[in-house]
Each structure stands twice: as C-alpha cells, then as structure tokens.
Amino acid sequence: MRWMFQQPRAGFSLFIIITFVSCFTTVFIYISDTRYSFDHSLVTTYTMADMEMLVEHLTKLNALNDKNIKERIKHFGPVLDTIVKSLNISVPKELESSMVTNKSVEMVRSPMIHLNGFTFLPPLWSHEDNLRPFILHSGGRKTVSMVYGIPTVRRQKRNYIIQTLTNIVYNMNQNEKEDSLIVVMIGEIDREYTQQLTTEIKNQLPEAINSGLVDIIAPTPEYYPDFSKLRLTLGDPKDRVNWRSKQNLDYAFLMMYCQPKGSFYVQIEDDIITKPQFHTIMKNTALQRIANGQEWFLLDFGELGFIGKMFRCSDLSWLIQYFIMFYNDQPVDWLLDGIVETKSCGYYKINCQRVKDNLWVKCNQTVFQHIGIWSSLPGKIQRLKAKHFKGYTLYKNNN
C-alpha cells in the first residue's frame, strides 16, 4: 500500500509515534536491567522489530519537510538516538541529522544547574584555590583511626592552645599516638601571627611535630565572605553574628581537610584537657557499636558545646554542607542539633526524642573538660565546666 500523508493525519501519526517512543523508552530501561531474569534474546528481537518499524515511519514523516514535525523529531532526538544505537539499528542520514543536533542536546541539558554547598559562598564560585589551606606544617600522615580537629584563633587575654596540645599528647600512649592525627587550624588571616604560633607549637612540642602527629593549617583570606555584609540574625549584635558565622566556616574548613585522613573525626576546642587513654575509650566505643549493628551519627564524649563530638569521617559531608548553608543563621551547637533533628524527626515529631537519642548518643564517659575562661569572642567570659569529668593529669612536669 502506498503511503499517503496529509497534514492533520501526519500530525496524528507523529503523536502516536511519540507516545510509543515514551512507552518504549520506559520498557527499554526496565528490561535492560540485568537483575531481572527475562529471555533477553526474545526481548531484543521484539524490540528491534518495533524500533525498525518506528524508524521507517519517522523517516517518511521527516521526508514531508514539515517544520512542526521536524521540531518534534528534534525534541525527542537524543532519546531515539540512544535507543537505536543500543540496538544497533541503522538510521537514514536525513533522519539522523534531524535527531541529533546541538539544539536538541541543549534542550535536554539546559534546565539543570549545578548546585553544591559552595553556592552559598560567592568567593568560592570561580576560585577553587581559595579552598586550599596554607599548610604551615604537615608530616603527611593519613589513614589513621582518629583525627582530632582543633580550631584556634587569637584571644585578647590568653591563648590555651599550647596547654591543650601538651595535655592531649601527654594522655596518649605510643600506640594511640601512632593511630592519631591532630589537626590545628589557625583561623586567622594574619600571616605573621600564624607563622608565629606555628613556630611556638613546633618549639613546645617537637616530638609530636617531628613524628607527624600534628598538622597545622590556616585558611586563605579569600575563603571568608565579606563579614560586613552579613545579615543580623537571632537579635544578636553585629560582632557576635560575625564571630559565630566565622566559627561555623572554620569548622567546615577544618572538616574538609580532615575528612580523607582517617576513619573517625573528633571535634574539640583549643581550651580543653583530657582523660588518660581518651583515644582508646572513644575508638573502642565506636567500634563496639558498629560491631553490634547499633545506629549512630554522633558519639558525644563531652557535655559542652561542640567539645568531644565524634563522627565517622564519611559523615562529615553532611556537617560541612549544613554549616556552609546556614553559617550566618545560628551558632554551631544549634546547627548540630538541627541536622540531627532533621535526620531523626518526622513532621509530627512522633517518637522524635527517642530516635534522636539513637543518632546522638550521649556516652557514659566524659573525657574532655573545658578549662578556658576568656572566650575567643572579645569581652566574653566562659566559666562552664563538664559536671561528669573526673580525674585527670594536666600534663607531665618535666622538672
């Protein structure tokens, strides 16, 4: 029978063919999955016959040189092209040129935009180098069990970082030292100050430095946004908003550096002391819960703020993205509570606290104590102490 096309009938035929293509695509994807036990030789024979007939119909429609028909063929071109190539079906050159065009590819790709956490930090949009830290010192250690992240900044009255590092190292045995990495992030853009503090740490803890136990890093100035343009949130004055916003970004930066270096990450502060063998206590707790199949997102070995919070390094991406998204909105301990609640609670918050307690596990032993008085926020005095921290040695007396 001779093919005779009139415009209305041609449009209707194309509509039927396009509908068939849509259905065929769904079936094709479904049966292509090797998890299903179909007779693939029979299916392939059937689909090839159908597609060959479809290609023949489209070729004849394309030959009409109707503008609307050609536009529709172009629109579905990438899908058709993928299917015919998968089935190794030959397509006439005239139809192939209509199916695969730059315009059709653009129509498929253009609606999507690339989003990531750094969408919320404009300085990083076109300058990825701003994420590279200044490595003030590194022994190249990685693949350890425990990575301890310590952010530190200049304080008006007194710095505690040397006392904190000395105590941490003193309360580790040799095996624990070899299984750990301590990363100090100096959250200052004053290069003279960061070099000065790095030199002081090296002079005070030469063995820890030379063995590779301690890395020291600092962010580039370009990592931070323009703090003068931050929104005022929570009714806080501008200096407090800037302080807690920068603190959130410091945590995110530190976590990005630490994530690939170990199995577990512990967030601590630069004004704490520890219990002896705190490393083994924390590591064994995590491994035991994993061995028992117990769910957890955060193991809490500290009672205050963001001290002594332990995560799998593989889970740090959640925190990094969340902190960067909401750094201007809330302090870090509120953000931490928010992400755990989001992961735990439904809309009606049924059994919310019970589920939340399964993810945020308050451990029996508090192994960190806060010792700082002068906060990194100028003028703020912080006298909080962990109530259940008992028994410690500050550091070894060498005299």
Side-chain angles (χ1 to χ4, degrees), residues 246-274:
K246 179 183 176 297
Q247 193 176 61
N248 289 334
L249 294 175
D250 285 347
Y251 287 126
F253 190 90
L254 178 57
M255 289 177 177
M256 282 187 278
Y257 178 83
C258 293
Q259 185 173 30
K261 298 187 179 297
S263 300
F264 302 108
Y265 175 83
V266 181
Q267 184 64 62
I268 51 182
E269 302 294 345
D270 65 349
D271 55 351
I272 59 95
I273 54 175
T274 66

Side-chain angles (χ1 to χ4, degrees), residues 29 81 112 115 147 153 174 213 231 254 300 325 394:
I29 293 171
D81 186 59
M112 302 299 292
L115 291 174
V147 184
V153 295
Q174 188 58 36
L213 176 58
R231 293 175 294 108
L254 178 57
D300 195 344
M325 287 171 62
L394 187 58

Side-chain angles (χ1 to χ4, degrees), residues 14-262:
L14 184 61
F15 171 77
I16 296 298
I17 291 171
I18 288 172
T19 302
F20 177 79
V21 169
S22 302
C23 297
F24 181 88
T25 302
T26 304
V27 174
F28 180 79
I29 293 171
Y30 178 78
I31 64 177
S32 296
D33 192 329
T34 56
R35 292 174 297 177
Y36 300 97
S37 56
F38 290 108
D39 184 344
H40 285 273
S41 61
L42 178 62
V43 170
T44 303
T45 301
Y46 176 75
T47 55
M48 283 186 67
D50 283 346
M51 278 306 299
E52 286 173 347
M53 182 178 68
L54 178 62
V55 168
E56 182 183 353
H57 290 348
L58 285 174
T59 301
K60 292 176 180 179
L61 285 170
N62 188 58
L64 294 175
N65 290 321
D66 180 82
K67 181 179 179 181
N68 291 331
I69 291 176
K70 285 185 174 292
E71 284 297 320
R72 285 172 173 79
I73 292 175
K74 286 180 181 180
H75 186 78
F76 284 89
V79 177
L80 288 166
D81 186 59
T82 300
I83 296 173
V84 296
K85 286 181 178 178
S86 299
L87 296 176
N88 198 26
I89 295 173
S90 60
V91 178
K93 290 184 178 180
E94 296 80 6
L95 179 60
E96 186 175 17
S97 63
S98 296
M99 286 167 49
V100 183
T101 65
N102 291 334
K103 183 176 180 181
S104 64
V105 173
E106 180 63 24
M107 289 175 70
V108 173
R109 293 180 179 175
S110 62
M112 302 299 292
I113 60 173
H114 180 66
L115 291 174
N116 57 41
F118 306 117
T119 302
F120 303 93
L121 286 177
L124 302 180
W125 287 355
S126 57
H127 302 283
E128 291 185 3
D129 285 347
N130 293 345
L131 272 178
R132 297 188 179 186
F134 287 113
I135 308 294
L136 300 168
H137 172 82
S138 175
R141 184 177 292 193
K142 53 186 178 180
T143 65
V144 297
S145 292
M146 307 282 281
V147 184
Y148 298 93
I150 308 177
T152 187
V153 295
R154 193 192 324 235
R155 299 175 189 243
Q156 283 187 340
K157 296 287 185 178
R158 178 184 174 185
N159 282 337
Y160 302 92
I161 183 63
I162 299 298
Q163 184 177 352
T164 293
L165 287 172
T166 302
N167 176 263
I168 290 173
V169 173
Y170 175 68
N171 280 329
M172 286 181 175
N173 61 37
Q174 188 58 36
N175 289 335
E176 291 171 331
K177 291 176 184 177
E178 293 173 358
D179 194 34
S180 303
L181 174 64
I182 302 168
V183 180
V184 177
M185 193 205 81
I186 305 174
E188 299 287 345
I189 59 175
D190 181 344
R191 294 278 76 85
E192 182 179 351
Y193 175 77
T194 58
Q195 290 292 350
Q196 176 187 335
L197 183 54
T198 299
T199 300
E200 185 178 359
I201 294 172
K202 288 181 176 181
N203 290 339
Q204 294 292 328
L205 294 105
E207 184 178 341
I209 290 291
N210 295 333
S211 67
L213 176 58
V214 177
D215 278 8
I216 307 172
I217 65 172
T220 63
E222 294 78 14
Y223 168 67
Y224 297 109
D226 185 346
F227 288 104
S228 67
K229 297 181 180 179
L230 293 185
R231 293 175 294 108
L232 296 182
T233 53
L234 303 179
D236 285 342
K238 188 168 185 58
D239 60 341
R240 190 178 185 90
V241 171
N242 290 352
W243 170 74
R244 57 176 167 80
S245 297
K246 179 183 176 297
Q247 193 176 61
N248 289 334
L249 294 175
D250 285 347
Y251 287 126
F253 190 90
L254 178 57
M255 289 177 177
M256 282 187 278
Y257 178 83
C258 293
Q259 185 173 30
K261 298 187 179 297

Side-chain angles (χ1 to χ4, degrees), residues 6 31 84 97 104 125 171 206 216 224-225 261 278 286 289 293 303 312 317 322 338 354 361 384:
Q6 297 175 354
I31 64 177
V84 296
S97 63
S104 64
W125 287 355
N171 280 329
I216 307 172
Y224 297 109
K261 298 187 179 297
F278 67 94
R289 292 190 70 87
E303 301 171 31
R312 296 178 183 88
S317 297
Y322 202 77
R354 179 179 60 80
V361 180
L384 295 175

